[in-house]
Amino acid sequence: MKVLYIDELLLTNFAAAAAFLLAAGLLAGVRCSGPRLVAGAALGAVSCLVLLAPPMGFGPALLYKIGTGAGAVALAYGCPGVRVFLRLGGWFLALNLLLTGAAALAPQAHTANLTAYMDITPGRLLAGTAAVYLAVRALLSFLGRPGQAAVPAVLELGNARVKVTAFYDSGFTLADPVAERPVVLVRYDAVRTALPEAHRACLDAVFAGTGEPPDPALGMRYLVCGTIAGRTLLPALPAAALIRQAGGRTWSQTGLLAAFCPGGAEEGWTLLLGSDLAGRMGLS
């Protein structure tokens, strides 16, 4: 008869879930804050208690695993776009399966409701978790990260502080040729409701093509944007600052010009910036 110590089980799985959430973020190019990581890891730890539940059948057990895994990822990273979220969830699942496969080499493995319990010491399990995480770090240091991370930031525009997900694109070349202010590109649909009313009305009219003249006090202008589909004009408004906080540090850039393009946050970012500004924001 095997005795399970709940506190030991929860603490061990909490550490494993935290390591795998961090590793999934590294592989998907996304970062999360400490409190969010704790919340996601806590759900991952609690979900292992399904070991003690009565057998629920393959279908319900599979739905439970998918739901708790997606919930852990959502708590840690939110929803930074459908594709990015699916990558995060896929990596989180793959890393858990990798550890399970490695631990299955140990004798006396038990499973219940698609959850594996290995009769090994917490120290060996945590050592295996650390090995998987360090292997991910080593792989990324050798091959390079899959793109710069999308990070949370705040764009000050008018009297509003708009929360955005900033992404560094080394190929970003949108520029202000007149005043030479730093330029960022913002996905309008993703931030529309957070903008001041006057800015929102101005941009609504521009994207609707009503021809209504903008309020001169807003200082709106147009920037030429070149893409593979050709050249287009994007409306741009002066922004007071872009602010990013991480690890007890704060990066800030003032005197920006925020250009807006239609579309939501399906690619995992709501604000795009280039190399010069990324360096000043601690992203390169």
Side-chain angles (χ1 to χ4, degrees):
M1 177 178 173
K2 180 66 180 177
V3 178
L4 294 180
Y5 295 95
I6 300 300
D7 55 348
E8 188 177 272
L9 182 68
L10 290 175
L11 287 173
T12 302
N13 280 276
F14 176 86
F20 289 159
L21 285 169
L22 284 173
L26 289 173
L27 290 164
V30 186
R31 299 176 186 173
C32 68
S33 65
R36 294 194 72 110
L37 176 64
V38 169
L43 177 58
V46 172
S47 69
C48 74
L49 295 179
V50 74
L51 274 168
L52 309 178
M56 59 177 66
F58 177 80
L62 180 61
L63 290 176
Y64 175 84
K65 295 294 288 185
I66 293 174
T68 54
V73 171
L75 284 174
Y77 294 98
C79 188
V82 175
R83 295 180 185 177
V84 178
F85 184 81
L86 291 177
R87 284 201 296 269
L88 284 166
W91 281 120
F92 183 61
L93 174 62
L95 291 169
N96 275 280
L97 292 177
L98 179 60
L99 178 64
T100 301
L105 298 176
Q108 299 180 7
H110 310 281
T111 60
N113 296 321
L114 296 182
T115 300
Y117 173 77
M118 308 302 170
D119 192 13
I120 58 178
T121 64
R124 288 182 61 187
L125 183 61
L126 291 177
T129 300
V132 172
Y133 177 75
L134 292 175
V136 170
R137 296 299 298 259
L139 180 66
L140 292 178
S141 65
F142 179 73
L143 298 178
R145 292 191 179 188
Q148 297 292 326
V151 298
V154 173
L155 180 68
E156 293 187 350
L157 190 69
N159 59 356
R161 291 172 56 88
V162 183
K163 293 182 179 180
V164 296
T165 303
F167 190 90
Y168 162 42
D169 180 3
S170 58
F172 182 83
T173 58
L174 195 61
D176 176 11
V178 179
E180 298 184 348
R181 288 171 289 186
V183 178
V184 295
L185 180 64
V186 184
R187 288 185 178 271
Y188 179 54
D189 291 353
V191 301
R192 179 182 179 276
T193 56
L195 295 177
E197 183 177 354
H199 294 70
R200 185 166 62 247
C202 173
L203 293 169
D204 281 347
V206 170
F207 288 118
T210 62
E212 182 179 341
D215 182 354
L218 295 178
M220 195 199 82
R221 53 176 304 182
Y222 287 92
L223 298 180
V224 178
C225 176
T227 67
I228 58 174
R231 290 180 175 271
T232 187
L233 292 176
L234 297 178
L237 295 167
L242 179 66
I243 302 169
R244 174 181 169 244
Q245 294 180 326
R249 295 187 59 187
T250 299
W251 294 267
S252 178
Q253 174 65 49
T254 59
L256 297 166
L257 195 61
F260 291 85
C261 64
E266 65 275 6
E267 294 299 328
W269 59 268
T270 52
L271 181 144
L272 204 64
L273 44 82
S275 299
D276 291 342
L277 185 54
R280 294 193 287 271
M281 299 301 294
L283 296 179
S284 64

